[in-house]
Amino acid sequence: VRFANGRLRSPDSLRFSVYRNRDTAHPRKRHRRIVVSETERLCYVGHNFGSEVMKCNSLCRYFVGVLDRSSGQMEVYNAEIFNMQPLLSESVGNGSHSQSVTAQVQPCLGVPQLWPWLWNKQWFFRSLRCIRCFNVCSSLVQMDLCIEAFGTSKQKRALSSRRMNAVGNDVVSTAVTKAAANVIDAKGVTALMQDMAQDDVQNISAFLPPCHEDADRPEHVYKFEDILSPAEYEALWVPAATLTNVTAEEMAKRVEERSYCSFVLEELKFLPADERSRDHKARCLWFLDTLIKFSHLKVIKKKHPMGPECPHIISRKLMKNFTLLTYNNGSIQNLISASMKAKITAYAIALALHINNFQTDLTVLQNDMKLPESRILDIAKALRLKVSKAKGVPGLENDQNHKLGTLSLPLPMQKAPEGQRKRKKMN
């Protein structure tokens, strides 16, 4: 054995008792041992099972050699190392248990006689969750010891978590308060508020397209290449061909079936006559429609979530840039979280700006992406857009109260979200 709190002055005077589990048929329980010892002041307990068992016994083997001095021969026996923990009886004061080591420690008498009685009383094993355990173990430490020996796996996990989190709340609170006071005295409240606002702006920028604030033209603020790379743009030629050559009859059928979102259906009515410009706008509209439909998903289980007609490079872009990897039931899944949906919205707005000469109807995008108005307005303001009111296209939802987002230079100052808006008073 070894003692956790140091070395004993007179170890030869100690007597040890070893108890084993009576269930010798069980392959794991039959090797369980409990070693107890008692000095004039303390009781010590060690065991080779539970959450606090020593790892050295599983990593290597130990032996004890017994030398017969008369014959000069030594017999070697298998051995285990037991870590003897002092069993402290807690003093009660002011209605709470004192766990301070410096508190007065009373000798824990009768524990060696308690263990065999516990082993023999099988009904005690099944009733650890009830109040009888408190009648046997008069203190919290003794109760924890019983849980270690006879508790269920759930009880042992809870005990281990409680011990790991057993930190003095008063000490932590005092340390945090002192550290906060030192920081405030050193930097000042105004500087801390500015740092917090800057951190919020940086967190918002992580989900926005790269912004070039020193651009001299609106199309250079959010560059088209940052939204669609040349290889991705080239891959859109095949799926966008159906939009480039759409006829009036096909257009009416798509509007009736609502096979595309409202924003795309409205823009298809104004495809330019020039072949190159028409192809460019069709590619942008097809990718924008794919982005909006992709934002409606939650957990992606299919290899090609947008169908076989979606190019492989576009599917890889969606999965890599707009999803989070999660683990569920031992398998990896792609999840579109709230932050990823905000990122998709930001890229959709930036692409819509390139389609509509850097002024777009935010309300139509909001309805297509099924977002609250406050959410899309926060994202638009984070993109440095000027939001104004306008009348929407007749026939669309809320055509009288639409919000327009305009990207113009110079860019307005970026501000962090102000948090939850105040509720309007009801008259």
mmCIF file of all heavy atoms in Angstrom, residues 8-54:
data_model
loop_
_atom_site.group_PDB
_atom_site.id
_atom_site.type_symbol
_atom_site.label_atom_id
_atom_site.label_comp_id
_atom_site.label_asym_id
_atom_site.label_seq_id
_atom_site.Cartn_x
_atom_site.Cartn_y
_atom_site.Cartn_z
ATOM 1 N N LEU A 8 3.736 7.427 6.938
ATOM 2 C CA LEU A 8 3.429 7.265 8.355
ATOM 3 C C LEU A 8 4.717 7.157 9.157
ATOM 4 O O LEU A 8 5.732 6.640 8.685
ATOM 5 C CB LEU A 8 2.567 6.014 8.570
ATOM 6 C CG LEU A 8 1.195 6.018 7.876
ATOM 7 C CD1 LEU A 8 0.446 4.749 8.220
ATOM 8 C CD2 LEU A 8 0.385 7.229 8.262
ATOM 9 N N ARG A 9 4.642 7.648 10.397
ATOM 10 C CA ARG A 9 5.827 7.617 11.243
ATOM 11 C C ARG A 9 6.134 6.204 11.726
ATOM 12 O O ARG A 9 7.289 5.792 11.806
ATOM 13 C CB ARG A 9 5.616 8.545 12.442
ATOM 14 C CG ARG A 9 5.497 10.013 12.059
ATOM 15 C CD ARG A 9 5.277 10.887 13.280
ATOM 16 N NE ARG A 9 5.164 12.305 12.900
ATOM 17 C CZ ARG A 9 4.917 13.274 13.778
ATOM 18 N NH1 ARG A 9 4.735 12.977 15.062
ATOM 19 N NH2 ARG A 9 4.849 14.537 13.365
ATOM 20 N N SER A 10 5.110 5.450 12.063
ATOM 21 C CA SER A 10 5.318 4.083 12.570
ATOM 22 C C SER A 10 4.413 3.125 11.807
ATOM 23 O O SER A 10 3.362 2.722 12.295
ATOM 24 C CB SER A 10 5.032 4.024 14.074
ATOM 25 O OG SER A 10 3.720 4.511 14.332
ATOM 26 N N PRO A 11 4.794 2.765 10.580
ATOM 27 C CA PRO A 11 3.923 1.872 9.786
ATOM 28 C C PRO A 11 3.881 0.439 10.321
ATOM 29 O O PRO A 11 2.942 -0.293 10.006
ATOM 30 C CB PRO A 11 4.557 1.928 8.399
ATOM 31 C CG PRO A 11 5.985 2.281 8.641
ATOM 32 C CD PRO A 11 5.996 3.180 9.841
ATOM 33 N N ASP A 12 4.875 0.044 11.116
ATOM 34 C CA ASP A 12 4.876 -1.336 11.605
ATOM 35 C C ASP A 12 3.738 -1.601 12.575
ATOM 36 O O ASP A 12 3.347 -2.769 12.777
ATOM 37 C CB ASP A 12 6.214 -1.641 12.294
ATOM 38 C CG ASP A 12 7.379 -1.560 11.311
ATOM 39 O OD1 ASP A 12 7.116 -1.712 10.095
ATOM 40 O OD2 ASP A 12 8.516 -1.341 11.757
ATOM 41 N N SER A 13 3.218 -0.561 13.194
ATOM 42 C CA SER A 13 2.154 -0.759 14.176
ATOM 43 C C SER A 13 0.781 -0.892 13.542
ATOM 44 O O SER A 13 -0.193 -1.168 14.237
ATOM 45 C CB SER A 13 2.151 0.413 15.164
ATOM 46 O OG SER A 13 1.884 1.627 14.486
ATOM 47 N N LEU A 14 0.669 -0.685 12.229
ATOM 48 C CA LEU A 14 -0.640 -0.756 11.572
ATOM 49 C C LEU A 14 -1.050 -2.198 11.310
ATOM 50 O O LEU A 14 -0.220 -3.082 11.081
ATOM 51 C CB LEU A 14 -0.617 0.005 10.245
ATOM 52 C CG LEU A 14 -0.573 1.529 10.326
ATOM 53 C CD1 LEU A 14 -0.586 2.113 8.923
ATOM 54 C CD2 LEU A 14 -1.748 2.064 11.113
ATOM 55 N N ARG A 15 -2.338 -2.425 11.338
ATOM 56 C CA ARG A 15 -2.918 -3.708 10.967
ATOM 57 C C ARG A 15 -3.918 -3.465 9.849
ATOM 58 O O ARG A 15 -4.703 -2.525 9.892
ATOM 59 C CB ARG A 15 -3.620 -4.357 12.164
ATOM 60 C CG ARG A 15 -2.649 -4.737 13.285
ATOM 61 C CD ARG A 15 -1.708 -5.846 12.790
ATOM 62 N NE ARG A 15 -0.757 -6.245 13.827
ATOM 63 C CZ ARG A 15 0.456 -5.743 13.962
ATOM 64 N NH1 ARG A 15 0.877 -4.808 13.100
ATOM 65 N NH2 ARG A 15 1.243 -6.148 14.919
ATOM 66 N N PHE A 16 -3.882 -4.319 8.851
ATOM 67 C CA PHE A 16 -4.722 -4.158 7.676
ATOM 68 C C PHE A 16 -5.723 -5.303 7.592
ATOM 69 O O PHE A 16 -5.435 -6.434 8.010
ATOM 70 C CB PHE A 16 -3.872 -4.132 6.391
ATOM 71 C CG PHE A 16 -2.955 -2.947 6.296
ATOM 72 C CD1 PHE A 16 -1.684 -2.989 6.845
ATOM 73 C CD2 PHE A 16 -3.376 -1.796 5.665
ATOM 74 C CE1 PHE A 16 -0.835 -1.906 6.758
ATOM 75 C CE2 PHE A 16 -2.527 -0.700 5.567
ATOM 76 C CZ PHE A 16 -1.260 -0.754 6.118
ATOM 77 N N SER A 17 -6.881 -4.989 7.049
ATOM 78 C CA SER A 17 -7.904 -5.986 6.764
ATOM 79 C C SER A 17 -8.257 -5.904 5.288
ATOM 80 O O SER A 17 -8.394 -4.806 4.730
ATOM 81 C CB SER A 17 -9.155 -5.752 7.611
ATOM 82 O OG SER A 17 -8.851 -5.815 8.982
ATOM 83 N N VAL A 18 -8.399 -7.053 4.662
ATOM 84 C CA VAL A 18 -8.704 -7.129 3.234
ATOM 85 C C VAL A 18 -10.047 -7.821 3.066
ATOM 86 O O VAL A 18 -10.292 -8.881 3.672
ATOM 87 C CB VAL A 18 -7.612 -7.900 2.453
ATOM 88 C CG1 VAL A 18 -7.944 -7.933 0.971
ATOM 89 C CG2 VAL A 18 -6.257 -7.260 2.683
ATOM 90 N N TYR A 19 -10.918 -7.235 2.275
ATOM 91 C CA TYR A 19 -12.232 -7.798 1.999
ATOM 92 C C TYR A 19 -12.371 -7.989 0.499
ATOM 93 O O TYR A 19 -11.937 -7.163 -0.295
ATOM 94 C CB TYR A 19 -13.334 -6.868 2.517
ATOM 95 C CG TYR A 19 -13.234 -6.594 4.002
ATOM 96 C CD1 TYR A 19 -12.567 -5.464 4.461
ATOM 97 C CD2 TYR A 19 -13.788 -7.481 4.924
ATOM 98 C CE1 TYR A 19 -12.455 -5.213 5.816
ATOM 99 C CE2 TYR A 19 -13.681 -7.231 6.278
ATOM 100 C CZ TYR A 19 -13.017 -6.096 6.730
ATOM 101 O OH TYR A 19 -12.903 -5.851 8.061
ATOM 102 N N ARG A 20 -12.978 -9.101 0.136
ATOM 103 C CA ARG A 20 -13.181 -9.390 -1.287
ATOM 104 C C ARG A 20 -14.661 -9.551 -1.559
ATOM 105 O O ARG A 20 -15.464 -9.786 -0.652
ATOM 106 C CB ARG A 20 -12.440 -10.677 -1.676
ATOM 107 C CG ARG A 20 -12.924 -11.930 -0.968
ATOM 108 C CD ARG A 20 -12.186 -13.169 -1.467
ATOM 109 N NE ARG A 20 -12.586 -14.365 -0.756
ATOM 110 C CZ ARG A 20 -13.651 -15.093 -1.057
ATOM 111 N NH1 ARG A 20 -14.439 -14.732 -2.055
ATOM 112 N NH2 ARG A 20 -13.960 -16.176 -0.362
ATOM 113 N N ASN A 21 -15.016 -9.453 -2.815
ATOM 114 C CA ASN A 21 -16.403 -9.615 -3.219
ATOM 115 C C ASN A 21 -16.804 -11.087 -3.140
ATOM 116 O O ASN A 21 -16.037 -11.977 -3.525
ATOM 117 C CB ASN A 21 -16.573 -9.100 -4.659
ATOM 118 C CG ASN A 21 -18.020 -8.812 -4.985
ATOM 119 O OD1 ASN A 21 -18.894 -9.632 -4.753
ATOM 120 N ND2 ASN A 21 -18.267 -7.633 -5.531
ATOM 121 N N ARG A 22 -18.005 -11.324 -2.642
ATOM 122 C CA ARG A 22 -18.469 -12.707 -2.482
ATOM 123 C C ARG A 22 -18.883 -13.331 -3.801
ATOM 124 O O ARG A 22 -18.976 -14.555 -3.903
ATOM 125 C CB ARG A 22 -19.655 -12.747 -1.509
ATOM 126 C CG ARG A 22 -19.299 -12.288 -0.103
ATOM 127 C CD ARG A 22 -20.494 -12.360 0.811
ATOM 128 N NE ARG A 22 -20.992 -13.717 0.917
ATOM 129 C CZ ARG A 22 -22.101 -14.067 1.581
ATOM 130 N NH1 ARG A 22 -22.820 -13.132 2.165
ATOM 131 N NH2 ARG A 22 -22.489 -15.316 1.646
ATOM 132 N N ASP A 23 -19.128 -12.496 -4.818
ATOM 133 C CA ASP A 23 -19.569 -13.015 -6.118
ATOM 134 C C ASP A 23 -18.338 -13.502 -6.887
ATOM 135 O O ASP A 23 -17.805 -12.818 -7.761
ATOM 136 C CB ASP A 23 -20.306 -11.920 -6.884
ATOM 137 C CG ASP A 23 -21.031 -12.458 -8.117
ATOM 138 O OD1 ASP A 23 -20.921 -13.677 -8.368
ATOM 139 O OD2 ASP A 23 -21.688 -11.667 -8.820
ATOM 140 N N THR A 24 -17.879 -14.695 -6.558
ATOM 141 C CA THR A 24 -16.676 -15.234 -7.212
ATOM 142 C C THR A 24 -16.936 -15.722 -8.626
ATOM 143 O O THR A 24 -15.986 -15.946 -9.387
ATOM 144 C CB THR A 24 -16.110 -16.390 -6.374
ATOM 145 O OG1 THR A 24 -17.129 -17.398 -6.221
ATOM 146 C CG2 THR A 24 -15.679 -15.899 -4.997
ATOM 147 N N ALA A 25 -18.205 -15.879 -9.006
ATOM 148 C CA ALA A 25 -18.512 -16.335 -10.368
ATOM 149 C C ALA A 25 -18.449 -15.195 -11.377
ATOM 150 O O ALA A 25 -18.242 -15.433 -12.569
ATOM 151 C CB ALA A 25 -19.896 -16.989 -10.409
ATOM 152 N N HIS A 26 -18.657 -13.976 -10.910
ATOM 153 C CA HIS A 26 -18.624 -12.832 -11.832
ATOM 154 C C HIS A 26 -17.183 -12.579 -12.262
ATOM 155 O O HIS A 26 -16.287 -12.454 -11.422
ATOM 156 C CB HIS A 26 -19.194 -11.596 -11.144
ATOM 157 C CG HIS A 26 -19.583 -10.510 -12.095
ATOM 158 N ND1 HIS A 26 -18.660 -9.688 -12.691
ATOM 159 C CD2 HIS A 26 -20.797 -10.114 -12.566
ATOM 160 C CE1 HIS A 26 -19.276 -8.829 -13.479
ATOM 161 N NE2 HIS A 26 -20.585 -9.061 -13.411
ATOM 162 N N PRO A 27 -16.911 -12.462 -13.574
ATOM 163 C CA PRO A 27 -15.514 -12.343 -14.031
ATOM 164 C C PRO A 27 -14.837 -11.046 -13.600
ATOM 165 O O PRO A 27 -13.606 -11.000 -13.519
ATOM 166 C CB PRO A 27 -15.638 -12.412 -15.556
ATOM 167 C CG PRO A 27 -17.040 -12.011 -15.851
ATOM 168 C CD PRO A 27 -17.863 -12.486 -14.698
ATOM 169 N N ARG A 28 -15.601 -9.988 -13.311
ATOM 170 C CA ARG A 28 -14.996 -8.728 -12.922
ATOM 171 C C ARG A 28 -15.084 -8.491 -11.424
ATOM 172 O O ARG A 28 -14.150 -7.970 -10.821
ATOM 173 C CB ARG A 28 -15.687 -7.571 -13.675
ATOM 174 C CG ARG A 28 -15.534 -7.677 -15.186
ATOM 175 C CD ARG A 28 -16.330 -6.601 -15.900
ATOM 176 N NE ARG A 28 -15.802 -5.277 -15.624
ATOM 177 C CZ ARG A 28 -16.317 -4.154 -16.139
ATOM 178 N NH1 ARG A 28 -17.363 -4.223 -16.944
ATOM 179 N NH2 ARG A 28 -15.794 -2.989 -15.843
ATOM 180 N N LYS A 29 -16.200 -8.877 -10.820
ATOM 181 C CA LYS A 29 -16.378 -8.605 -9.395
ATOM 182 C C LYS A 29 -15.519 -9.500 -8.513
ATOM 183 O O LYS A 29 -15.216 -9.132 -7.378
ATOM 184 C CB LYS A 29 -17.849 -8.768 -9.014
ATOM 185 C CG LYS A 29 -18.768 -7.712 -9.601
ATOM 186 C CD LYS A 29 -20.193 -7.904 -9.112
ATOM 187 C CE LYS A 29 -21.114 -6.823 -9.671
ATOM 188 N NZ LYS A 29 -22.501 -6.984 -9.189
ATOM 189 N N ARG A 30 -15.121 -10.654 -9.003
ATOM 190 C CA ARG A 30 -14.372 -11.570 -8.145
ATOM 191 C C ARG A 30 -12.962 -11.062 -7.847
ATOM 192 O O ARG A 30 -12.317 -11.545 -6.914
ATOM 193 C CB ARG A 30 -14.287 -12.938 -8.807
ATOM 194 C CG ARG A 30 -13.512 -12.964 -10.114
ATOM 195 C CD ARG A 30 -13.574 -14.332 -10.740
ATOM 196 N NE ARG A 30 -12.843 -14.376 -12.023
ATOM 197 C CZ ARG A 30 -12.841 -15.437 -12.821
ATOM 198 N NH1 ARG A 30 -13.537 -16.524 -12.471
ATOM 199 N NH2 ARG A 30 -12.165 -15.411 -13.950
ATOM 200 N N HIS A 31 -12.475 -10.096 -8.621
ATOM 201 C CA HIS A 31 -11.145 -9.539 -8.381
ATOM 202 C C HIS A 31 -11.186 -8.267 -7.533
ATOM 203 O O HIS A 31 -10.141 -7.686 -7.263
ATOM 204 C CB HIS A 31 -10.460 -9.220 -9.712
ATOM 205 C CG HIS A 31 -10.240 -10.429 -10.566
ATOM 206 N ND1 HIS A 31 -9.369 -11.440 -10.225
ATOM 207 C CD2 HIS A 31 -10.794 -10.793 -11.761
ATOM 208 C CE1 HIS A 31 -9.388 -12.380 -11.170
ATOM 209 N NE2 HIS A 31 -10.238 -12.004 -12.116
ATOM 210 N N ARG A 32 -12.361 -7.842 -7.097
ATOM 211 C CA ARG A 32 -12.465 -6.607 -6.338
ATOM 212 C C ARG A 32 -12.003 -6.828 -4.902
ATOM 213 O O ARG A 32 -12.401 -7.788 -4.253
ATOM 214 C CB ARG A 32 -13.897 -6.084 -6.359
ATOM 215 C CG ARG A 32 -14.351 -5.611 -7.737
ATOM 216 C CD ARG A 32 -15.746 -5.025 -7.681
ATOM 217 N NE ARG A 32 -16.146 -4.485 -8.990
ATOM 218 C CZ ARG A 32 -17.307 -3.884 -9.225
ATOM 219 N NH1 ARG A 32 -18.185 -3.736 -8.242
ATOM 220 N NH2 ARG A 32 -17.588 -3.426 -10.433
ATOM 221 N N ARG A 33 -11.178 -5.903 -4.427
ATOM 222 C CA ARG A 33 -10.663 -5.975 -3.064
ATOM 223 C C ARG A 33 -10.781 -4.596 -2.416
ATOM 224 O O ARG A 33 -10.648 -3.561 -3.084
ATOM 225 C CB ARG A 33 -9.191 -6.396 -3.045
ATOM 226 C CG ARG A 33 -8.921 -7.766 -3.655
ATOM 227 C CD ARG A 33 -9.474 -8.892 -2.784
ATOM 228 N NE ARG A 33 -9.087 -10.203 -3.297
ATOM 229 C CZ ARG A 33 -9.788 -10.885 -4.196
ATOM 230 N NH1 ARG A 33 -10.909 -10.372 -4.688
ATOM 231 N NH2 ARG A 33 -9.378 -12.072 -4.595
ATOM 232 N N ILE A 34 -11.003 -4.608 -1.091
ATOM 233 C CA ILE A 34 -11.020 -3.396 -0.285
ATOM 234 C C ILE A 34 -10.068 -3.605 0.878
ATOM 235 O O ILE A 34 -10.162 -4.608 1.596
ATOM 236 C CB ILE A 34 -12.435 -3.069 0.228
ATOM 237 C CG1 ILE A 34 -13.371 -2.761 -0.938
ATOM 238 C CG2 ILE A 34 -12.396 -1.883 1.193
ATOM 239 C CD1 ILE A 34 -14.796 -2.497 -0.502
ATOM 240 N N VAL A 35 -9.143 -2.663 1.046
ATOM 241 C CA VAL A 35 -8.169 -2.718 2.125
ATOM 242 C C VAL A 35 -8.471 -1.574 3.084
ATOM 243 O O VAL A 35 -8.607 -0.417 2.661
ATOM 244 C CB VAL A 35 -6.733 -2.609 1.586
ATOM 245 C CG1 VAL A 35 -5.733 -2.651 2.738
ATOM 246 C CG2 VAL A 35 -6.446 -3.742 0.609
ATOM 247 N N VAL A 36 -8.586 -1.879 4.378
ATOM 248 C CA VAL A 36 -8.870 -0.865 5.388
ATOM 249 C C VAL A 36 -7.828 -0.969 6.489
ATOM 250 O O VAL A 36 -7.266 -2.045 6.756
ATOM 251 C CB VAL A 36 -10.290 -1.018 5.971
ATOM 252 C CG1 VAL A 36 -11.331 -0.793 4.904
ATOM 253 C CG2 VAL A 36 -10.475 -2.387 6.588
ATOM 254 N N SER A 37 -7.562 0.191 7.089
ATOM 255 C CA SER A 37 -6.630 0.247 8.209
ATOM 256 C C SER A 37 -7.039 1.407 9.097
ATOM 257 O O SER A 37 -7.717 2.346 8.648
ATOM 258 C CB SER A 37 -5.195 0.417 7.712
ATOM 259 O OG SER A 37 -4.307 0.447 8.804
ATOM 260 N N GLU A 38 -6.614 1.342 10.350
ATOM 261 C CA GLU A 38 -7.016 2.367 11.311
ATOM 262 C C GLU A 38 -5.845 2.712 12.213
ATOM 263 O O GLU A 38 -5.163 1.819 12.746
ATOM 264 C CB GLU A 38 -8.196 1.859 12.148
ATOM 265 C CG GLU A 38 -8.752 2.903 13.103
ATOM 266 C CD GLU A 38 -9.961 2.379 13.860
ATOM 267 O OE1 GLU A 38 -10.405 1.252 13.550
ATOM 268 O OE2 GLU A 38 -10.451 3.098 14.739
ATOM 269 N N THR A 39 -5.591 4.024 12.340
ATOM 270 C CA THR A 39 -4.580 4.513 13.269
ATOM 271 C C THR A 39 -5.283 5.151 14.461
ATOM 272 O O THR A 39 -6.513 5.060 14.601
ATOM 273 C CB THR A 39 -3.673 5.538 12.578
ATOM 274 O OG1 THR A 39 -4.453 6.685 12.220
ATOM 275 C CG2 THR A 39 -3.048 4.956 11.315
ATOM 276 N N GLU A 40 -4.506 5.807 15.309
ATOM 277 C CA GLU A 40 -5.110 6.451 16.462
ATOM 278 C C GLU A 40 -5.974 7.642 16.069
ATOM 279 O O GLU A 40 -6.901 8.003 16.798
ATOM 280 C CB GLU A 40 -4.002 6.919 17.421
ATOM 281 C CG GLU A 40 -3.191 5.781 18.023
ATOM 282 C CD GLU A 40 -2.114 6.299 18.942
ATOM 283 O OE1 GLU A 40 -1.975 7.554 19.031
ATOM 284 O OE2 GLU A 40 -1.424 5.484 19.559
ATOM 285 N N ARG A 41 -5.691 8.249 14.931
ATOM 286 C CA ARG A 41 -6.412 9.455 14.541
ATOM 287 C C ARG A 41 -7.291 9.287 13.303
ATOM 288 O O ARG A 41 -8.326 9.923 13.189
ATOM 289 C CB ARG A 41 -5.412 10.592 14.269
ATOM 290 C CG ARG A 41 -4.582 10.980 15.469
ATOM 291 C CD ARG A 41 -3.680 12.148 15.107
ATOM 292 N NE ARG A 41 -4.457 13.282 14.639
ATOM 293 C CZ ARG A 41 -3.931 14.357 14.046
ATOM 294 N NH1 ARG A 41 -2.626 14.404 13.821
ATOM 295 N NH2 ARG A 41 -4.689 15.359 13.670
ATOM 296 N N LEU A 42 -6.877 8.430 12.379
ATOM 297 C CA LEU A 42 -7.577 8.347 11.095
ATOM 298 C C LEU A 42 -7.832 6.904 10.711
ATOM 299 O O LEU A 42 -7.157 5.982 11.177
ATOM 300 C CB LEU A 42 -6.769 9.020 9.978
ATOM 301 C CG LEU A 42 -6.659 10.545 9.988
ATOM 302 C CD1 LEU A 42 -5.731 10.995 8.878
ATOM 303 C CD2 LEU A 42 -8.023 11.175 9.818
ATOM 304 N N CYS A 43 -8.816 6.758 9.844
ATOM 305 C CA CYS A 43 -9.062 5.491 9.156
ATOM 306 C C CYS A 43 -8.677 5.666 7.687
ATOM 307 O O CYS A 43 -8.878 6.731 7.096
ATOM 308 C CB CYS A 43 -10.527 5.087 9.254
ATOM 309 S SG CYS A 43 -11.039 4.582 10.897
ATOM 310 N N TYR A 44 -8.116 4.603 7.105
ATOM 311 C CA TYR A 44 -7.686 4.625 5.707
ATOM 312 C C TYR A 44 -8.416 3.530 4.946
ATOM 313 O O TYR A 44 -8.610 2.421 5.463
ATOM 314 C CB TYR A 44 -6.178 4.418 5.595
ATOM 315 C CG TYR A 44 -5.369 5.566 6.121
ATOM 316 C CD1 TYR A 44 -4.955 5.602 7.460
ATOM 317 C CD2 TYR A 44 -5.012 6.619 5.294
ATOM 318 C CE1 TYR A 44 -4.208 6.661 7.946
ATOM 319 C CE2 TYR A 44 -4.261 7.684 5.772
ATOM 320 C CZ TYR A 44 -3.872 7.698 7.100
ATOM 321 O OH TYR A 44 -3.141 8.752 7.582
ATOM 322 N N VAL A 45 -8.810 3.837 3.718
ATOM 323 C CA VAL A 45 -9.515 2.888 2.857
ATOM 324 C C VAL A 45 -8.889 2.946 1.473
ATOM 325 O O VAL A 45 -8.620 4.032 0.945
ATOM 326 C CB VAL A 45 -11.026 3.212 2.775
ATOM 327 C CG1 VAL A 45 -11.725 2.213 1.853
ATOM 328 C CG2 VAL A 45 -11.664 3.184 4.144
ATOM 329 N N GLY A 46 -8.648 1.801 0.875
ATOM 330 C CA GLY A 46 -8.170 1.694 -0.500
ATOM 331 C C GLY A 46 -8.884 0.575 -1.221
ATOM 332 O O GLY A 46 -9.303 -0.405 -0.597
ATOM 333 N N HIS A 47 -9.056 0.721 -2.519
ATOM 334 C CA HIS A 47 -9.752 -0.309 -3.296
ATOM 335 C C HIS A 47 -9.154 -0.361 -4.688
ATOM 336 O O HIS A 47 -8.519 0.606 -5.146
ATOM 337 C CB HIS A 47 -11.259 -0.043 -3.363
ATOM 338 C CG HIS A 47 -11.608 1.380 -3.666
ATOM 339 N ND1 HIS A 47 -11.500 1.929 -4.922
ATOM 340 C CD2 HIS A 47 -12.042 2.379 -2.857
ATOM 341 C CE1 HIS A 47 -11.866 3.189 -4.886
ATOM 342 N NE2 HIS A 47 -12.194 3.498 -3.642
ATOM 343 N N ASN A 48 -9.383 -1.461 -5.385
ATOM 344 C CA ASN A 48 -8.831 -1.647 -6.728
ATOM 345 C C ASN A 48 -9.910 -1.591 -7.801
ATOM 346 O O ASN A 48 -9.764 -2.187 -8.867
ATOM 347 C CB ASN A 48 -8.088 -2.984 -6.815
ATOM 348 C CG ASN A 48 -9.010 -4.177 -6.583
ATOM 349 O OD1 ASN A 48 -10.159 -4.011 -6.173
ATOM 350 N ND2 ASN A 48 -8.506 -5.381 -6.849
ATOM 351 N N PHE A 49 -10.997 -0.868 -7.544
ATOM 352 C CA PHE A 49 -12.059 -0.710 -8.530
ATOM 353 C C PHE A 49 -12.672 0.670 -8.318
ATOM 354 O O PHE A 49 -12.456 1.326 -7.298
ATOM 355 C CB PHE A 49 -13.120 -1.805 -8.413
ATOM 356 C CG PHE A 49 -13.793 -1.853 -7.063
ATOM 357 C CD1 PHE A 49 -14.963 -1.160 -6.820
ATOM 358 C CD2 PHE A 49 -13.227 -2.585 -6.024
ATOM 359 C CE1 PHE A 49 -15.575 -1.190 -5.587
ATOM 360 C CE2 PHE A 49 -13.843 -2.636 -4.783
ATOM 361 C CZ PHE A 49 -15.017 -1.938 -4.558
ATOM 362 N N GLY A 50 -13.461 1.101 -9.294
ATOM 363 C CA GLY A 50 -14.098 2.399 -9.212
ATOM 364 C C GLY A 50 -13.387 3.438 -10.058
ATOM 365 O O GLY A 50 -12.415 3.160 -10.776
ATOM 366 N N SER A 51 -13.864 4.674 -9.959
ATOM 367 C CA SER A 51 -13.361 5.751 -10.805
ATOM 368 C C SER A 51 -11.981 6.230 -10.383
ATOM 369 O O SER A 51 -11.256 6.813 -11.188
ATOM 370 C CB SER A 51 -14.344 6.933 -10.782
ATOM 371 O OG SER A 51 -14.529 7.396 -9.456
ATOM 372 N N GLU A 52 -11.595 6.037 -9.110
ATOM 373 C CA GLU A 52 -10.325 6.543 -8.620
ATOM 374 C C GLU A 52 -9.272 5.451 -8.489
ATOM 375 O O GLU A 52 -8.308 5.604 -7.740
ATOM 376 C CB GLU A 52 -10.529 7.241 -7.274
ATOM 377 C CG GLU A 52 -11.427 8.468 -7.366
ATOM 378 C CD GLU A 52 -11.557 9.184 -6.038
ATOM 379 O OE1 GLU A 52 -10.993 8.661 -5.048
ATOM 380 O OE2 GLU A 52 -12.216 10.229 -5.986
ATOM 381 N N VAL A 53 -9.446 4.342 -9.168
ATOM 382 C CA VAL A 53 -8.482 3.257 -9.073
ATOM 383 C C VAL A 53 -7.167 3.685 -9.729
ATOM 384 O O VAL A 53 -7.142 4.479 -10.675
ATOM 385 C CB VAL A 53 -9.046 1.990 -9.743
ATOM 386 C CG1 VAL A 53 -9.203 2.195 -11.237
ATOM 387 C CG2 VAL A 53 -8.168 0.779 -9.450
ATOM 388 N N MET A 54 -6.072 3.198 -9.221
ATOM 389 C CA MET A 54 -4.762 3.567 -9.743
ATOM 390 C C MET A 54 -4.533 2.915 -11.107
ATOM 391 O O MET A 54 -4.783 1.718 -11.292
ATOM 392 C CB MET A 54 -3.666 3.140 -8.765
ATOM 393 C CG MET A 54 -3.757 3.830 -7.414
ATOM 394 S SD MET A 54 -2.420 3.331 -6.320
ATOM 395 C CE MET A 54 -1.009 3.929 -7.243
#
